[in-house]
Amino acid sequence: MSVKKKVKQVIPDRAFHTLRIDELSDFSVSESCKFTDDRWYFPNPTPGATKTKSTIEWRMSLLDGSRLTDEQHAEYLMWCRKLVASMIFAPADGVAMSPGSVAGMQVSVKWLVSWMIQNAYRFPHELTPVAITKYISDLPAMIIEQQNDEVISESTVYRALNLLLALWRQRHVLEKMGVAPMPRDPFFMQGAKGIAQRIATKPGGWIKPLPDEVAIPLFNKAAWFLGVPADDVLRLLEIVWDKNSEREQTCRVGRGGQEAVQLPSQSKHARLLRQNAFLDDFSFGIPVDESEPWHVPLDACYELESGKLRTYRVRQLFDAVRDACAITIQGTSGMRISELIGIQAGIDPATHLPLGVRVEDSVTGLYEWFIIRTDVSKTERTPRGVDWILGMRPKGSDELPPAVHALEVLNKMYAPWRKSAKTDRLLLQSNVGITLPLRQTALDAMLSDKLRDSMKRFIERWIDYSSLPDESAHKTEDQDLVRWRESKGNIFSSHMLRKSWANFTLAVDSRLLPAIQMQFHHLSLAMTEGGYISRNPLLLEALDSVSRQQRNLMIYEMVTGKNMLAGRMGEQIEEATRGLRKEIQGLPTSQAWERVITFCEDNHIRIFFSPHGKCCPTRTSEMRCQNSAGLVEWLRQEPNYTNREPSLCAGCACFVLDARHQSFWEDRYIQNWVSYRRAFAAGHAGHFRVIKERAEQAAKLLKKIGVDIKILDEKIDRVLECGYAKN
């Protein structure tokens, strides 16, 4: 056991803050550490205290995976060291920081510096009130991503704010040491503790899903990879299987290139020769609705033209399909990354489905549900099983939901290494090399951080965000898409997939590929058909969070004039928010957004979503769905999902809709009006009176949100001319 020698403590003959840089290099921060050491340890007199509590590791990992001691972070490291040292040797309030507080300061450094690097701030003086407001706004999402949980403690937030407090408190000392101070008290008129309490108790609606402009290309590309590209990658695994590995191969070895007969299983030369021959002859498939193969040939010309090893490209394609599977499973089921990584490998011999997946009939018997059970251990003393819905299909269909198909693909992808694996987990990782490992290599279970980083690489390599506009259609802050465009998606976090799952489940988007669109439509039905989602509190948590987010967005866009509301409740909301509309005029987008959130929370506005509209159950005595069910008024906390349907909701006092429901009501108008006009032409209009009323009802709502009905009527004329109805 090695013991670090004590360093000769250098005690300067003048004040700490007057030391030059060269003098700081020799300055002893403790009896065993110098200012320039990567680790500072301070002896802790507290009985039972561990060394880690009084140690600060300057080689700390930052949130982007880099280390604070990396060369590119030298400026951050210097002012952070000066700050911490000044709190010990020149404290502004005269009380030196205790050894037991040092480890907490490391956490504070990690939060703030990571954010500063991500947002291109380098020095404390750049932390203006605008920058600090943005940091506070970004904190909840940062914390949730690192914890992979939406429960934010007050202590976690306070620690993330603590470095700002220290920078302000030590500003005069730091200025004398060449560190320009922040321009203003970071928590002027607020207090860090109050901000920490506010963030810790923030409802989930503060944390935003992926913008549609980012999420839709991501889901579509992941689904695309599960088609022909996945089939091709599975064929490429013949390189690993190498079923003829025991067949002798003549190859050239040594510097002289002498010919030798070797076995591929025992010789690298023979193995590479077989791999190259296989790749020379390999041809990629053509995806559906495309005319060309999805990838250029990996023949010998590939290495010359691209400058990359073909076997390295095979590894990249393997990782891309693996990441597409992970994104599809997590993004269309709502599970967290820890539950995804916890899924076991294997195929059930009885059902021929991935291990752990079961099929259940719905309550009505019309559908089959695909469900997987995983153990939730995070935040639990004892792991407990939780069901996740992977999808649904009509009874009798043989179609598999995208998430189930993704599980099948993953089982096939890792089949070559399964026998030698150190774990029974489905997702495996290779810790070394840039090509696919040998079949005999013993792979271990995938780690969360590794999978998150790989998902980011998938976005950077395969999704082009360069043409993104500066702002999303439903922005809540100015220039919200600029970071996505400039970072090439590197600001992605896997937790965003859960938010997007809830977002699309509440309002299915037609811009998604049909398979993914159908998946979210099925999940929307799952909230009412049998109540499967209500069995999992983690799903309810995500749905409630996005429900609040959509509520906030609806009110925000209405009071800023970007969106019009329809329905009887829409008129009431417009009247109730007249004062709010005046209050936020002229405010920056982010400040107006936060003011709207506060308004919604203070007034306890609750909204329930469906593809055809929203329910704001404030006038409980007039809830038509509950009246038809006969539920007593004092129990009416939410809609009656069994009775809830478009015609009933449209005339309800609690019903409101906006542009997000436009496609539903356009389809309803076109379908019903086409049916009525055909019946009218055939002389049967009297039997289609209800159909006509539905079309007229849809037209009225569409006009209220600014839709030009004449354009829809022209579509109807074209449909009738072609002799078919819109499906």
Side-chain angles (χ1 to χ4, degrees):
M1 179 178 177
S2 61
V3 178
K4 188 171 182 178
K5 295 181 179 179
K6 291 184 178 181
V7 300
K8 183 178 180 181
Q9 194 153 14
V10 177
I11 303 175
D13 57 1
R14 61 183 192 277
F16 169 77
H17 63 264
T18 65
L19 299 179
R20 300 186 307 272
I21 291 294
D22 60 321
E23 293 175 311
L24 280 175
S25 299
D26 293 327
F27 181 75
S28 301
V29 294
S30 73
E31 60 183 19
S32 61
C33 307
K34 287 188 175 182
F35 183 86
T36 52
D37 287 347
D38 286 343
R39 177 188 292 124
W40 290 2
Y41 167 68
F42 300 88
N44 194 341
T46 304
T50 61
K51 278 192 172 183
T52 56
K53 295 292 185 182
S54 54
T55 301
I56 184 167
E57 296 278 359
W58 291 113
R59 291 189 72 251
M60 67 182 79
S61 294
L62 301 173
L63 300 186
D64 64 356
S66 64
R67 294 188 180 276
L68 185 56
T69 49
D70 290 348
E71 184 178 353
Q72 69 269 27
H73 302 326
E75 292 167 320
Y76 298 98
L77 177 62
M78 178 55 71
W79 63 255
C80 283
R81 278 178 166 160
K82 288 180 177 180
L83 171 63
V84 174
S86 74
M87 295 171 71
I88 298 170
F89 299 102
D93 57 4
V95 180
M97 181 172 62
S98 66
S101 301
V102 172
M105 186 55 62
Q106 175 176 326
V107 178
S108 300
V109 168
K110 180 176 182 176
W111 284 116
L112 181 60
V113 171
S114 294
W115 179 86
M116 290 178 69
I117 291 170
Q118 187 180 79
N119 290 272
Y121 295 105
R122 301 191 70 83
F123 300 101
H125 72 267
E126 297 172 341
L127 298 176
T128 62
V130 172
I132 290 169
T133 298
K134 180 168 176 52
Y135 177 58
I136 293 171
S137 177
D138 290 347
L139 256 185
M142 290 172 60
I143 293 171
I144 284 174
E145 165 61 14
Q146 292 305 305
Q147 297 181 159
N148 200 27
D149 198 302
E150 292 207 20
V151 178
I152 303 178
S153 70
E154 183 180 330
S155 61
T156 299
V157 182
Y158 187 81
R159 190 157 285 175
L161 299 173
N162 194 36
L163 195 68
L164 291 170
L165 278 173
L167 284 169
W168 182 251
R169 191 180 297 124
Q170 295 293 118
R171 64 190 183 281
H172 299 305
V173 174
L174 290 174
E175 190 170 17
K176 293 174 182 177
M177 300 182 73
V179 180
M182 289 188 294
R184 203 185 78 174
D185 180 352
F187 309 120
F188 182 70
M189 299 292 287
Q190 297 182 74
K193 190 171 183 63
I195 293 174
Q197 290 174 340
R198 177 160 57 88
I199 291 178
T201 56
K202 273 184 178 179
W206 287 74
I207 313 302
K208 306 160 191 170
L210 288 167
D212 287 353
E213 292 82 355
V214 173
I216 289 171
L218 175 60
F219 280 120
N220 287 345
K221 179 58 76 172
W224 179 84
F225 259 106
L226 295 187
V228 172
D231 295 337
D232 286 347
V233 166
L234 292 175
R235 289 195 294 123
L236 281 170
L237 288 181
E238 288 297 320
I239 290 178
V240 180
W241 283 114
D242 199 6
K243 295 176 182 178
N244 295 319
S245 60
E246 298 307 316
R247 186 176 297 175
E248 291 182 339
Q249 188 82 33
T250 301
C251 52
R252 296 185 179 276
V253 298
R255 292 185 178 179
Q258 297 90 345
E259 285 192 353
V261 177
Q262 298 178 334
L263 290 174
S265 61
Q266 299 173 356
S267 164
K268 179 180 179 181
H269 296 286
R271 187 170 61 253
L272 290 177
L273 190 64
R274 287 185 57 79
Q275 286 182 1
N276 288 332
F278 173 79
L279 293 176
D280 281 338
D281 295 334
F282 189 88
S283 59
F284 289 94
I286 301 175
V288 178
D289 297 328
E290 297 184 28
S291 59
E292 299 291 334
W294 67 279
H295 198 281
V296 297
L298 290 177
D299 54 22
C301 295
Y302 178 83
E303 291 185 1
L304 295 175
E305 294 171 357
S306 68
K308 296 179 181 178
L309 290 173
R310 292 183 287 173
T311 49
Y312 175 44
R313 186 56 172 174
V314 172
R315 171 64 180 270
Q316 288 184 328
L317 298 180
F318 177 93
D319 287 350
V321 173
R322 188 268 319 284
D323 297 337
C325 289
I327 289 167
T328 298
I329 295 168
Q330 194 179 358
T332 64
S333 69
M335 69 174 64
R336 299 181 299 193
I337 197 167
S338 56
E339 280 79 50
L340 169 62
I341 288 176
I343 294 175
Q344 291 187 320
I347 300 295
D348 189 318
T351 64
H352 305 292
L353 291 171
L355 203 63
V357 177
R358 68 182 191 273
V359 179
E360 292 186 4
D361 287 344
S362 68
V363 175
T364 62
L366 298 176
Y367 304 103
E368 291 178 328
W369 300 99
F370 288 81
I371 300 168
I372 190 168
R373 193 167 186 81
T374 65
D375 285 336
V376 176
S377 55
K378 191 175 181 68
T379 73
E380 302 285 337
R381 290 186 177 181
T382 304
R384 60 184 174 88
V386 172
D387 285 341
W388 304 88
I389 303 172
L390 298 178
M392 180 182 81
R393 70 183 179 193
K395 188 79 170 178
S397 170
D398 59 358
E399 186 175 352
L400 290 179
V404 178
H405 176 54
L407 289 172
E408 287 189 335
V409 171
L410 287 173
N411 271 289
K412 293 175 182 177
M413 289 179 69
Y414 284 109
W417 302 278
R418 190 60 60 195
K419 190 174 181 180
S420 303
K422 301 177 184 178
T423 176
D424 62 354
R425 300 299 187 195
L426 174 58
L427 288 164
L428 304 175
Q429 73 174 22
S430 174
N431 294 320
V432 294
I434 61 173
T435 61
L436 291 176
L438 299 177
R439 183 161 40 117
Q440 298 82 3
T441 306
L443 303 185
D444 212 335
M446 177 70 72
L447 299 177
S448 298
D449 289 344
K450 294 285 187 182
L451 185 57
R452 286 193 191 100
D453 291 343
S454 194
M455 287 180 179
K456 289 182 179 181
R457 285 194 295 273
F458 174 86
I459 295 173
E460 182 178 359
R461 289 172 178 167
W462 298 102
I463 302 178
D464 183 11
Y465 285 141
S466 62
S467 60
L468 281 177
D470 290 346
E471 297 178 338
S472 63
H474 303 292
K475 68 171 184 175
T476 57
E477 60 178 311
D478 294 324
Q479 309 286 302
D480 62 332
L481 294 181
V482 172
R483 286 196 302 163
W484 284 99
R485 188 178 64 224
E486 293 181 348
S487 72
K488 298 181 180 179
N490 195 48
I491 59 174
F492 165 85
S493 69
S494 62
H495 192 82
M496 295 174 178
L497 292 174
R498 298 194 68 228
K499 293 289 186 173
S500 294
W501 166 85
N503 193 37
F504 286 122
T505 299
L506 290 171
V508 182
D509 198 310
S510 60
R511 291 172 293 173
L512 292 163
L513 286 178
I516 301 296
Q517 182 185 356
M518 185 59 68
Q519 168 78 349
F520 287 119
H521 175 67
H522 288 162
L523 290 169
S524 182
L525 288 177
M527 290 188 285
T528 56
E529 175 72 36
Y532 282 100
I533 287 181
S534 63
R535 296 182 185 180
N536 187 338
L538 297 174
L539 294 179
L540 289 175
E541 166 196 290
L543 283 167
D544 180 64
S545 171
V546 172
S547 176
R548 290 172 182 265
Q549 171 76 13
Q550 291 297 327
R551 172 206 64 185
N552 300 339
L553 192 58
M554 182 188 78
I555 301 296
Y556 170 78
E557 292 186 342
M558 188 267 294
V559 296
T560 54
K562 298 178 181 177
N563 197 9
M564 293 184 288
L565 304 183
R568 293 171 62 187
M569 180 54 65
E571 297 171 0
Q572 293 186 55
I573 292 175
E574 288 178 347
E575 180 63 31
T577 54
R578 291 187 186 279
L580 177 64
R581 188 190 301 268
K582 294 178 181 178
E583 184 180 340
I584 67 171
Q585 282 183 354
L587 289 179
T589 300
S590 57
Q591 292 182 26
W593 169 250
E594 293 205 7
R595 182 64 194 93
V596 167
I597 295 176
T598 302
F599 173 87
C600 292
E601 291 299 321
D602 289 347
N603 289 278
H604 306 288
I605 299 174
R606 298 179 70 213
I607 293 181
F608 298 86
F609 294 78
S610 71
H612 65 269
K614 307 173 179 71
C615 175
C616 182
T618 56
R619 299 171 65 173
T620 54
S621 63
E622 300 182 54
M623 294 178 71
R624 298 178 69 181
C625 61
Q626 296 293 12
N627 287 341
S628 62
L631 186 69
V632 294
E633 186 175 338
W634 59 275
L635 288 176
R636 299 180 181 185
Q637 302 297 316
E638 58 185 50
N640 185 300
Y641 296 105
T642 304
N643 296 340
R644 192 182 189 189
E645 57 90 19
S647 293
L648 190 71
C649 291
C652 181
C654 300
F655 183 68
V656 58
L657 76 153
D658 59 14
R660 290 171 185 79
H661 309 287
Q662 178 177 332
S663 60
F664 175 90
W665 289 99
E666 285 182 344
D667 287 347
R668 188 175 175 87
Y669 174 74
I670 292 172
Q671 290 174 11
N672 282 279
W673 199 242
V674 166
S675 297
Y676 177 77
R677 285 181 58 179
R678 282 185 169 165
F680 182 84
H684 305 304
H687 301 292
F688 281 73
R689 180 177 54 82
V690 174
I691 301 298
K692 180 183 179 183
E693 290 175 354
R694 288 178 182 172
E696 291 173 341
Q697 183 186 62
K700 182 178 179 181
L701 293 171
L702 289 168
K703 288 177 181 177
K704 185 67 171 65
I705 59 174
V707 175
D708 188 351
I709 300 298
K710 291 181 180 179
I711 296 176
L712 300 182
D713 288 337
E714 291 172 0
K715 290 183 179 180
I716 291 171
D717 291 338
R718 290 195 295 270
V719 168
L720 292 171
E721 288 172 4
C722 294
Y724 64 88
K726 182 179 174 65
N727 292 321

